[in-house]
Amino acid sequence: MAHEVTLIPGDGTGPELIEATRRVLEATGVEFQWDRHEAGVDAFEATGNPFPDATMASLKRTRVGIKGPTTTPVGSGFRSVNVLLRKELDLYACIRPCKAYEGVRTRFPEVDIVIVRENTEDLYAGIEFERGTPENAELRAALERLGAHVREDSGISIKPISVFGSERIVRKAFEYARERGRDKVTAAHKANIMKFSDGLFLEVARRVAPDYPDIEFEDRIIDNLCNQLISRPEEYDVIVLPNLYGDIVSDLGAGMIGGLGFAGGANIGTEAAVFEATHGSAPKYKGLNKVNPTALMLSGVYMLEHLSEEAAARKLESAIATVIREGERVTYDLKPTRDDPSAVGTSEFANAVIEEMIT
Ligand code: NAD
């Protein structure tokens, strides 16, 4: 039976990346019924809403989506589609595998780690009090009564971390490790300084870890983790982190495997799962058939895994890896110089992956 999936092209280079990804997913032989819906700047210009209700309704119905990047214009009052999606669908786990493929220029050719980022709490919860507002003054007065002095000219962002949020993300990391045959989960935190938020995250991780005796557990202070990821990356496997550290370490991981062009991701929630690249809409390349579709194609691989299409996932990943390793029919960013005339476009890269799968 065909899998019904919500297909969101996004904007900027999103539509061309989604088209390349749709074609390679279909070439695996798995059948899809795409429910195509808009989101982002183009949807905003057409309907006045960057995230039309029909798009959300489709995701709630199909419970699986693949999405191209969407632009968040700076200073326009236009809400981020990604933040909306995360909140509405409770996409609490952001899973970003970072694996260096042969043929990609990187100083870390052995890297094969998975970042599991909590996606709903922490400093991203959006609980902020602007400097100079009555709410800010009220909060500072309450803090003063509790013995904490905050300077009058401060802006304040709150960092909530709950037992509930920590437990479900830590369990997700262990379950992911178990399903994927990985050996170790590392919890990263700054519990030595933030004893009641990061400290709670660590306490929960330590309590949950014995439920998974087949998987090794350790913890690292976040700054030490960053240091060690660069000096001894082979010691890391699955890393689970609160939201902000997860965001930063995801980009560190993307840099280690050759850049944003290779960083795919899965946002898993209680209501649905949405698969998308880590990178943004790269608007300067819009319509040029130029950018690298690998990150979105790898997100497609993770979607196949989520749909229990394991054989198709391996077939697609291996075809992508071969095309990258051979280095001939690849986009400009995979060539020795960015103006290499032998670089191909987004669509031709997809053709090469498809040919690799059918030969
Ligand atoms: P970006 O990721 O779009 O671009 C950063 C750099 O990486 C640019 O030089 C770009 O050309 C390059 N790049 C990105 N993807 C590439 C690819 N597939 N192949 C080759 N090169 C690639 O980041 P930005 O410029 O900071 O953001 C642009 C817009 O995207 C912003 O509006 C931002 O809010 C949005 N954004 C969306 C998402 C999302 O939808 N998930 C994620 C991040 C940023």
Side-chain angles (χ1 to χ4, degrees):
M1 212 178 71
H3 297 283
E4 200 182 2
V5 172
T6 304
L7 187 81
I8 306 172
D11 58 50
T13 53
E16 45 206 287
L17 292 169
I18 272 284
E19 181 56 14
T21 302
R22 181 194 63 77
R23 290 201 294 121
V24 299
L25 282 167
E26 287 185 358
T28 63
V30 171
E31 282 183 35
F32 293 97
Q33 195 184 324
W34 303 110
D35 192 22
R36 195 184 182 93
H37 285 277
E38 300 303 324
V41 165
D42 300 348
F44 181 70
E45 281 167 4
T47 68
N49 182 355
F51 206 102
D53 294 345
T55 308
M56 188 60 83
S58 171
L59 281 168
K60 285 189 173 167
R61 189 173 54 75
T62 65
R63 298 174 63 89
V64 186
I66 185 155
K67 173 185 168 294
T70 43
T71 305
T72 309
V74 178
S76 68
F78 176 109
R79 286 174 304 165
S80 159
V81 165
N82 301 310
V83 173
L84 249 165
L85 251 177
R86 248 173 251 165
K87 282 208 165 135
E88 188 83 11
L89 297 173
D90 194 24
L91 300 174
Y92 70 89
C94 180
I95 301 181
R96 288 178 171 161
C98 299
K99 176 169 157 181
Y101 289 94
E102 199 185 330
V104 176
R105 276 184 309 282
T106 164
R107 295 185 186 138
F108 305 94
E110 309 296 329
V111 170
D112 183 8
I113 57 177
V114 180
I115 312 291
V116 179
R117 166 188 174 190
E118 202 287 326
N119 232 357
T120 64
E121 301 198 320
D122 196 355
L123 284 160
Y124 274 72
I127 309 172
E128 299 207 280
F129 297 87
E130 190 180 355
R131 175 179 68 95
T133 60
E135 294 79 8
N136 179 301
E138 200 176 321
L139 178 61
R140 280 186 298 100
L143 289 170
E144 199 73 43
R145 286 195 295 279
L146 295 168
H149 176 70
V150 176
R151 283 195 191 97
E152 193 185 339
D153 57 353
S154 303
I156 305 173
S157 302
I158 305 280
K159 174 178 165 120
I161 289 195
S162 69
V163 171
F164 173 83
S166 302
E167 177 155 353
R168 71 174 174 174
I169 196 68
V170 171
R171 287 199 184 280
K172 188 81 201 169
F174 275 104
E175 271 147 32
Y176 181 94
R178 197 174 257 177
E179 279 164 24
R180 306 261 137 237
R182 288 181 173 264
D183 301 327
K184 182 160 78 174
V185 170
T186 304
H189 57 85
K190 190 84 183 175
N192 50 333
I193 304 295
M194 282 162 278
K195 296 184 193 307
F196 304 129
S197 49
D198 285 20
L200 185 71
F201 179 81
L202 177 60
E203 182 190 316
V204 170
R206 285 184 172 152
R207 173 170 60 73
V208 166
D211 291 348
Y212 302 86
D214 47 324
I215 309 216
E216 193 186 334
F217 172 72
E218 61 178 17
D219 72 274
R220 288 282 181 280
I221 292 176
I222 185 66
D223 34 352
N224 186 27
L225 176 86
C226 292
N227 178 342
Q228 294 200 354
L229 271 178
I230 301 299
S231 54
R232 301 205 291 272
E234 65 286 352
E235 288 183 13
Y236 291 91
D237 195 343
V238 175
I239 306 172
V240 62
L241 314 94
N243 208 338
L244 179 62
Y245 309 143
D247 183 35
I248 297 167
V249 174
S250 290
D251 267 42
L252 176 64
M256 291 173 81
I257 59 166
L260 284 169
F262 306 94
N267 292 292
I268 312 280
T270 47
E271 304 296 315
V274 180
F275 298 83
E276 66 173 341
T278 300
H279 64 71
S281 54
K284 69 179 173 194
Y285 293 125
K286 177 181 177 174
L288 299 182
N289 186 37
K290 190 167 166 78
V291 289
N292 182 356
T294 301
L296 196 53
M297 287 182 180
L298 288 173
S299 307
V301 168
Y302 313 145
M303 184 176 84
L304 287 169
E305 291 169 351
H306 178 79
L307 295 170
S308 301
E309 296 286 0
E310 193 58 38
R314 298 288 67 81
K315 183 158 111 175
L316 177 52
E317 186 186 12
S318 146
I320 296 168
T322 303
V323 170
I324 293 176
R325 188 175 61 244
E326 290 175 354
E328 285 161 22
R329 299 171 71 187
V330 292
T331 45
Y332 72 97
D333 54 317
L334 276 160
K335 293 287 185 182
T337 60
R338 295 211 147 206
D339 53 1
D340 189 316
S342 70
V344 303
T346 310
S347 169
E348 292 70 29
F349 186 113
N351 295 346
V353 172
I354 292 169
E355 277 169 33
E356 192 54 43
M357 279 192 286
I358 56 181
T359 50

